[in-house]
Amino acid sequence: MGFYLILMGPQGAGKGVQAGFIRQDHGNIPHISTGDLFRAMKTRTDAFAQEIQAILASGKLVSDEITCKMVEERLAQPDAHAGALFDGFPRTIPQAEWLEKYLSAKGEKIAAALLLELDLYDAFRRTFGRVTGADGSSYNIYSNSEGITWNWVDHESKAFPPRLEATVTATGEKLARRADDASADAIIKRLDAFQRDTAPLLPYYEQRNLLRRVDAAQSIEAVTAAIRKILG
Ligand code: AMP
């Protein structure tokens, strides 16, 4: 039996970090993020890939048919023979139904749909305030800002809100911010989309007794421990 897990939660809930631990615990199953798979098409110049990029830029969802086809191809790769960790998929009821059918035809099933729950205001602060150093160290203006100098830099013509810049006070190292974290507007749009897309899936997995909720406001270690307890 393979191990198939669905990971859900808003940005900032720690999905990326926890996915790393989950994979380690379960035979290094691949982390399949449909958003990453679509973004990876960016370098392709064919009409199909361009169409996908236009949909991504609009913030709309790619069709269920295309999305499921892509997941099917990904699951056929050898590294996915023992299971997979889904992130950003399923996003709609038809996708959830497709996955259930696809796995059951192979004699497999979903182990759980794990929801990393985080207040959306906290999700915003975790995302907007986070910066990382070249060595992977991470800081946040709202929760972990000691030793860091924070500067709000005005846009030249004030056409956009000020930018947040962070430097390590002792060394002067400039810390990096993920491009998709730097715009408050874009973060709010993604949080809205998460609410909109995930809401219908919760009763779907609840009815199947697969939904497991984890309080993602806890420390990374506490969240990992809670997940390990749930997944046994
Ligand atoms: P994400 O990185 O998960 O936020 O996904 C980025 C974008 O990829 C989304 O805004 C959608 O346009 C597309 N996308 C990702 N996953 C799906 C999915 N399961 N169904 C439809 N569209 C998706």
Side-chain angles (χ1 to χ4, degrees):
M1 273 299 265
F3 183 76
Y4 296 87
L5 185 74
I6 296 163
L7 195 55
M8 296 191 282
Q11 61 204 315
K15 275 186 297 173
V17 174
Q18 298 301 337
F21 292 126
I22 294 169
R23 293 185 59 219
Q24 274 173 25
D25 288 353
H26 298 274
N28 243 2
I29 51 170
H31 179 191
I32 300 183
S33 153
T34 42
D36 283 350
L37 290 174
F38 286 131
R39 274 185 293 274
M41 290 185 191
K42 216 191 278 177
T43 49
R44 279 171 38 183
T45 53
D46 55 290
F48 174 71
Q50 304 256 307
E51 191 189 319
I52 299 288
Q53 293 316 305
I55 297 172
L56 258 64
S58 76
K60 293 196 183 118
L61 291 182
V62 177
S63 75
D64 291 333
E65 198 190 337
I66 291 175
T67 305
C68 294
K69 183 101 207 302
M70 188 181 64
V71 171
E72 184 172 358
E73 281 172 16
R74 182 63 188 85
L75 286 174
Q77 289 179 24
D79 66 335
H81 70 279
L85 179 54
F86 297 105
D87 179 355
F89 178 86
R91 278 283 225 286
T92 65
I93 299 285
Q95 290 178 13
E97 287 169 346
W98 173 84
L99 182 62
E100 200 173 297
K101 266 201 207 119
Y102 175 85
L103 291 179
S104 99
K106 298 205 311 173
E108 301 282 3
K109 60 182 171 43
I110 291 155
L114 201 61
L115 175 64
L116 299 189
E117 286 187 300
L118 187 64
D119 173 87
L120 293 187
Y121 184 60
D122 284 340
F124 178 86
R125 301 204 313 166
R126 279 199 189 174
T127 313
F128 188 71
R130 69 184 164 192
V131 289
T132 44
D135 63 354
S137 52
S138 109
Y139 305 90
N140 191 300
I141 191 170
Y142 301 109
S143 55
N144 174 22
S145 67
E146 212 173 299
I148 308 299
T149 304
W150 305 87
N151 255 322
W152 293 96
V153 184
D154 277 334
H155 183 258
E156 276 167 40
S157 59
K158 304 220 168 170
F160 294 101
R163 216 160 18 89
L164 180 61
E165 273 188 8
T167 27
V168 179
T169 313
T171 63
E173 181 197 345
K174 216 167 169 175
L175 299 169
R177 234 165 141 212
R178 257 164 62 170
D180 55 346
D181 287 348
S183 150
D185 180 51
I187 294 173
I188 291 169
K189 275 204 184 118
R190 275 154 62 209
L191 288 174
D192 276 348
F194 165 75
Q195 287 275 76
R196 187 192 61 214
D197 298 344
T198 313
L201 291 172
L202 302 184
Y204 180 91
Y205 286 116
E206 212 149 31
Q207 276 161 20
R208 285 157 179 76
N209 197 23
L210 288 174
L211 188 68
R212 302 286 179 272
R213 297 170 187 268
V214 177
D215 176 9
Q218 309 173 84
S219 67
I220 290 177
E221 297 74 25
V223 174
T224 307
I227 292 174
R228 285 194 170 133
K229 200 169 162 202
I230 287 170
L231 299 179

